[in-house]
Amino acid sequence: MNNAPETITFFERLLPLVVSGEKVITIRDESESHYIPGSIIKVYALETGKYYTDIEILSVETITYDDISAYHAEQEAMALDILKKLIREIYPTEQNLFVIHYRLVEAS
């Protein structure tokens, strides 16, 4: 049986970046790392549960907090210091994280 998640949530303030295609990765902890490359996932707002779009998972890679770089910040469409601060707010003590690469699925 496939236990891969079929949905993902983002903070509402980040959703315009997701929907525009500017934000192409998300960094999550182990509990939110079980996405399968090639799967199509529904995107919802964390705060409201509102549906926004679909994305295709391209890859899931491990990373440590210290290895988060300007490259990741660019893919997140934010400055590196802001990204690292945001990650620390969400995951205050987590060192091992996961970079989930995705792309927007064009509406047919």
Side-chain angles (χ1 to χ4, degrees), residues 13 17 25 31 34 46 55 63-64 70 75 93 97 100 103:
R13 68 182 184 270
L17 296 171
I25 67 168
S31 73
H34 304 287
L46 181 66
I55 57 173
I63 190 172
T64 65
Q75 292 185 306
T93 60
L97 299 161
I100 300 168
R103 69 172 185 84

Side-chain angles (χ1 to χ4, degrees), residues 6-10 15 42-46 49-53:
E6 296 175 1
T7 63
I8 193 167
T9 57
F10 288 92
L15 280 159
K42 295 195 173 312
V43 175
Y44 294 91
L46 181 66
K50 180 183 171 204
Y51 168 77
Y52 274 80
T53 189

